[in-house]
Amino acid sequence: MTTPSEPGDGRLDPGLSVIMSERRQLINLAYRLLGSLAEAEDVVQETYARWYAMSRRQQEAIDSPGAWLTRVAGRICLDLLGSARARRESYVGEWVPEPLPDHTEWVNGQGAGTVDPADRVTLDESINMAFLVVLESMTPAERVAFILHDVFRYSFAEVAEIVGRTPVACRQLAFTARRRIRASQTPSAPAARHAGLVRDFKQAWEAKDIAALVGLLDPDATMIADGGGLVSAALHPVEGGEQVARYILALAERAPDLTLLERTVNGRPGLVAQHNGVTMTVAAFDVAGDRIMRIWAVRNPDKLGSWPIDGRNDL
């Protein structure tokens, strides 16, 4: 039986390191396109399977293996995005992208040990939760064209090969996506202010201080919870600062033994709720000025596999 490191003639594949060095790029691309680390990993696995299904002669005829892998991964993601809309319609409650921890806390699905650094998703502005949520409002073609061109700097000619449209059409897709991003953006608070508001929110939650919570939330604040039908969570967005505060306090009353930890969520300050060291909820925050505008609380255990199981104190 042959393996990726042992081609049919039994010799070590000299191009293996070059091919595998593209893994991080592919994971970063697929996660941004799909909003799911598990699906991103499946895409990368399928991409490599297609590479190694080719003969050595076919592989050597490809001028840029990295570009080939990106094209294949992009097309797989495009197909998945088309079917994802149907799957999301049958999803129980609200669907929120999978939250990611800071790379220093990354664990594998079994919660033991760290994964290879090449598998980590780069945590930049194109990975924060607010950005990913806007991406969900785009058509599959818009999302792929925008991410490939604006985030990964592929030319529209290259994007066209993946999307299956003309470069001019891809330029328009990216323009439309860009307009969606701009329309949804609010002036972001400085990192220190964002962290301070999240810390104040944590303290008000622990103190069960509804007045303090209401004061931290914008009057039009929204909270979206994702339980996936596997654990309890609000099936619809909770709207209004006071309503969000009351919902948060109701959660505190039902689970008084939760430990709240300040953690980085998708590159920004967030909160993690643990019970006996096990992560139960990961919350991401969108802050504008001096108020919290949006909270995304992910409770679906299928989306928390990358989060550590520990009992450490707050950072």
Side-chain angles (χ1 to χ4, degrees):
M1 176 179 178
T2 61
T3 67
S5 61
E6 296 179 2
D9 56 12
R11 293 180 288 109
L12 184 66
D13 183 354
L16 177 63
S17 61
V18 175
I19 295 301
M20 296 310 293
S21 68
E22 298 292 331
R23 181 176 176 81
R24 179 173 184 172
Q25 170 90 344
L26 298 176
I27 286 284
N28 272 276
L29 172 66
Y31 174 75
R32 284 165 174 78
L33 289 177
L34 302 173
S36 165
L37 184 60
E39 289 184 358
E41 291 172 338
D42 288 343
V43 166
V44 174
Q45 183 175 351
E46 174 62 21
T47 299
Y48 279 115
R50 294 187 186 184
W51 171 265
Y52 284 107
M54 295 188 296
S55 67
R56 173 61 68 85
R57 179 173 296 179
Q58 289 173 314
Q59 293 172 356
E60 292 175 344
I62 295 173
D63 293 333
S64 175
W68 185 93
L69 292 168
T70 297
R71 283 197 299 273
V72 171
R75 288 168 184 161
I76 295 173
C77 287
L78 187 62
D79 291 340
L80 286 175
L81 285 170
S83 62
R85 296 204 164 205
R87 296 199 308 274
R88 305 265 165 83
E89 289 178 359
S90 61
Y91 193 83
V92 178
E94 298 290 324
W95 189 95
V96 176
E98 182 177 345
L100 299 181
D102 182 79
H103 66 83
T104 60
E105 296 190 82
W106 202 291
V107 298
N108 62 24
Q110 287 70 46
T114 58
V115 298
D116 190 292
D119 288 345
R120 295 175 182 156
V121 176
T122 303
L123 301 176
D124 58 23
E125 284 303 304
S126 69
I127 216 71
N128 73 66
M129 192 62 74
F131 186 90
L132 292 177
V133 169
V134 177
L135 292 180
E136 285 296 310
S137 69
M138 299 179 186
T139 67
E142 285 173 350
R143 189 166 183 167
V144 172
F146 173 74
I147 290 295
L148 282 169
H149 180 266
D150 284 43
V151 177
F152 288 90
R153 303 303 179 188
Y154 281 83
S155 69
F156 284 118
E158 294 170 310
V159 175
E161 292 185 37
I162 296 172
V163 179
R165 304 193 187 187
T166 66
V168 173
C170 290
R171 183 185 297 275
Q172 182 59 43
L173 287 170
F175 172 79
T176 303
R178 210 174 296 125
R179 188 169 54 191
R180 290 179 188 264
I181 293 288
R182 285 198 298 265
S184 69
Q185 284 181 330
T186 55
S188 60
R193 181 56 183 156
H194 186 125
L197 283 170
V198 171
R199 182 173 296 114
D200 292 342
F201 185 90
K202 169 182 175 291
Q203 293 172 350
W205 186 353
E206 291 173 329
K208 299 181 176 60
D209 187 340
I210 189 168
L213 285 172
V214 171
L216 293 167
L217 293 160
D218 186 270
D220 296 323
T222 301
M223 179 175 181
I224 296 176
D226 179 347
L230 301 178
V231 296
S232 62
L235 296 179
H236 304 286
V238 181
E239 299 180 338
E242 184 172 346
Q243 288 73 19
V244 172
R246 293 189 181 283
Y247 180 80
I248 289 293
L249 289 186
L251 292 178
E253 292 291 342
R254 291 201 298 269
D257 52 353
L258 284 180
T259 299
L260 296 180
L261 306 172
E262 295 173 42
R263 293 289 183 263
T264 297
V265 180
N266 286 65
R268 291 188 175 180
L271 293 178
V272 170
Q274 291 187 343
H275 180 256
N276 293 331
V278 178
T279 295
M280 309 297 291
T281 304
V282 174
F285 295 78
D286 187 25
V287 172
D290 292 330
R291 297 290 183 92
I292 295 170
M293 292 291 299
R294 288 173 288 185
I295 303 173
W296 297 276
V298 179
R299 304 201 64 235
N300 184 341
D302 289 344
K303 296 184 178 182
L304 301 179
S306 297
W307 290 82
I309 299 174
D310 63 29
R312 294 180 300 159
N313 295 325
D314 293 355
L315 294 176

